[in-house]
Amino acid sequence: MTTIALFGAGGKMGYRLATNFRGSDYTIRHVEISEAGKERLKTGLGIDTIGVDEALDGAEVVILAVPDTHIGKVATGIESKLAPGTMVIVLDAAAPFAGHLPDRADLTYFVTHPCHPPIFNDETDMAAKKDFFGGVKAKQHFVSALMQGPEDDYAKGEKIAQIIWAPVMRSHRVTVEQMALLEPGLSETVCASLLVVMKEALDEVVARGVDRQAALDFLLGHMNVLGAVIFGETKGVFSDACNKAIEFGKPVLMRDDWKRVFEPQEIAASIQRIT
């Protein structure tokens, strides 16, 4: 059985992983420095934590389930204790992209991140429909990158990622650079920003006299049908009126050079701000 040292096991993500690894084919050693995290593991899952040295002794895989801002510090702190060939798994591309992992050519760096449950899905169980983050009841896709290490290690990392993000559907292989384009580029800089604008637009029509529930129902319903057409989930075309609204509305809402957020220097600057 492969032995995995799980750092940050009592944190938000670590607890999810500790839960998903129960009953798996892996031996998990749980590492947590906060007393609250230790208590959470003990009370919620009946898991006792161990020290860093004991966790790393003979461990083949190390998962850093800690915040992006802590990845570099934690990785640097354990570098001397990692045997050649050890796989280090990071759950976000930010720190690896920013160069915060130790310069150790003899280590494998595997990066994986969830896509989260898709808006258009086939979930019928209400608990799954309400699992918006994923990793509990709702099925989701995920992306992974072998940043460095033997090619055979990709399959090893992907197998672990399938448990981390379970229940899963599609697994996509990307590069770390492509993962950075997806997040923060596509998912946060673009998608989250535009969704915030949509929320502000909702507040504006409410301020102009529309009943809030009516406005919310109207907006979310249109997001559903418009999104289904735009992303090809259903066959359909927009009305001439809708096409005209897009033609005149987009230049008002978007700068002509908005796609520069995907330029390498912009992605790097965005990641630098969060790491």
Side-chain angles (χ1 to χ4, degrees), residues 85-143:
T86 301
M87 173 180 285
V88 178
I89 296 180
V90 183
L91 307 180
D92 189 280
F97 183 91
H100 293 321
L101 295 180
D103 185 11
R104 283 275 304 273
D106 60 343
L107 298 177
T108 291
Y109 289 151
F110 186 87
V111 187
T112 185
H113 196 76
C115 295
H116 302 298
I119 292 175
F120 305 113
N121 60 67
D122 59 359
E123 301 291 0
T124 57
D125 178 69
M126 186 54 65
K129 291 176 72 68
K130 292 293 185 179
D131 179 17
F132 301 114
F133 188 90
V136 180
K137 294 289 186 179
K139 300 184 292 294
Q140 64 180 335
H141 314 296
F142 66 95
V143 296

Side-chain angles (χ1 to χ4, degrees), residues 4-101:
I4 299 176
L6 174 58
F7 280 69
K12 181 179 179 180
M13 280 305 304
Y15 190 88
R16 285 174 172 269
L17 271 60
T19 301
N20 282 4
F21 274 119
R22 292 183 302 172
S24 72
D25 293 332
Y26 297 94
T27 297
I28 309 299
R29 297 173 179 173
H30 303 83
V31 180
E32 175 59 50
I33 62 172
S34 77
E35 292 303 320
K38 291 177 181 179
E39 180 61 27
R40 186 183 186 203
L41 285 169
K42 183 65 175 178
T43 303
L45 301 176
I47 291 174
D48 291 312
T49 60
I50 61 177
V52 172
D53 290 346
E54 185 181 356
L56 293 177
D57 185 19
E60 301 164 67
V61 177
V62 175
I63 300 178
L64 302 180
V66 299
D68 291 331
T69 52
H70 292 30
I71 292 289
K73 181 179 180 180
V74 174
T76 300
I78 65 174
E79 176 189 358
S80 63
K81 306 176 190 297
L82 301 180
T86 301
M87 173 180 285
V88 178
I89 296 180
V90 183
L91 307 180
D92 189 280
F97 183 91
H100 293 321
L101 295 180

Side-chain angles (χ1 to χ4, degrees), residues 8-270:
K12 181 179 179 180
M13 280 305 304
Y15 190 88
R16 285 174 172 269
L17 271 60
T19 301
N20 282 4
F21 274 119
R22 292 183 302 172
S24 72
D25 293 332
Y26 297 94
T27 297
I28 309 299
R29 297 173 179 173
H30 303 83
V31 180
E32 175 59 50
I33 62 172
S34 77
E35 292 303 320
K38 291 177 181 179
E39 180 61 27
R40 186 183 186 203
L41 285 169
K42 183 65 175 178
T43 303
L45 301 176
I47 291 174
D48 291 312
T49 60
I50 61 177
V52 172
D53 290 346
E54 185 181 356
L56 293 177
D57 185 19
E60 301 164 67
V61 177
V62 175
I63 300 178
L64 302 180
V66 299
D68 291 331
T69 52
H70 292 30
I71 292 289
K73 181 179 180 180
V74 174
T76 300
I78 65 174
E79 176 189 358
S80 63
K81 306 176 190 297
L82 301 180
T86 301
M87 173 180 285
V88 178
I89 296 180
V90 183
L91 307 180
D92 189 280
F97 183 91
H100 293 321
L101 295 180
D103 185 11
R104 283 275 304 273
D106 60 343
L107 298 177
T108 291
Y109 289 151
F110 186 87
V111 187
T112 185
H113 196 76
C115 295
H116 302 298
I119 292 175
F120 305 113
N121 60 67
D122 59 359
E123 301 291 0
T124 57
D125 178 69
M126 186 54 65
K129 291 176 72 68
K130 292 293 185 179
D131 179 17
F132 301 114
F133 188 90
V136 180
K137 294 289 186 179
K139 300 184 292 294
Q140 64 180 335
H141 314 296
F142 66 95
V143 296
S144 302
L146 181 63
M147 184 175 181
Q148 69 175 45
E151 177 59 28
D152 289 347
D153 275 357
Y154 181 81
K156 179 180 177 181
E158 184 184 42
K159 184 178 179 181
I160 295 172
Q162 288 172 339
I163 295 176
I164 290 174
W165 310 125
V168 299
M169 294 181 283
R170 287 190 291 272
S171 167
H172 301 283
R173 183 170 183 174
V174 297
T175 66
V176 171
E177 291 74 20
Q178 289 170 338
M179 200 180 294
L181 285 172
L182 295 174
E183 186 168 305
L186 181 62
S187 62
E188 295 174 342
T189 305
V190 175
C191 183
S193 297
L194 293 180
L195 286 171
V196 167
V197 170
M198 292 172 68
K199 168 59 166 57
E200 292 175 354
L202 171 71
D203 293 339
E204 181 63 21
V205 299
V206 170
R208 291 172 181 263
V210 180
D211 175 77
R212 181 173 186 81
Q213 191 60 59
L216 182 61
D217 290 345
F218 202 83
L219 176 62
L220 295 182
H222 278 74
M223 284 175 64
N224 188 44
V225 65
L226 294 173
V229 173
I230 290 172
F231 291 104
E233 287 292 324
T234 186
K235 292 182 179 180
V237 294
F238 292 156
S239 66
D240 290 342
C242 183
N243 285 326
K244 279 294 183 183
I246 295 171
E247 179 184 349
F248 286 92
K250 187 177 175 182
V252 173
L253 298 172
M254 305 294 292
R255 292 171 48 135
D256 290 340
D257 65 343
W258 71 267
K259 291 182 182 179
R260 66 185 175 84
V261 299
F262 293 112
E263 293 298 326
Q265 65 272 20
E266 293 289 341
I267 294 292
S270 178

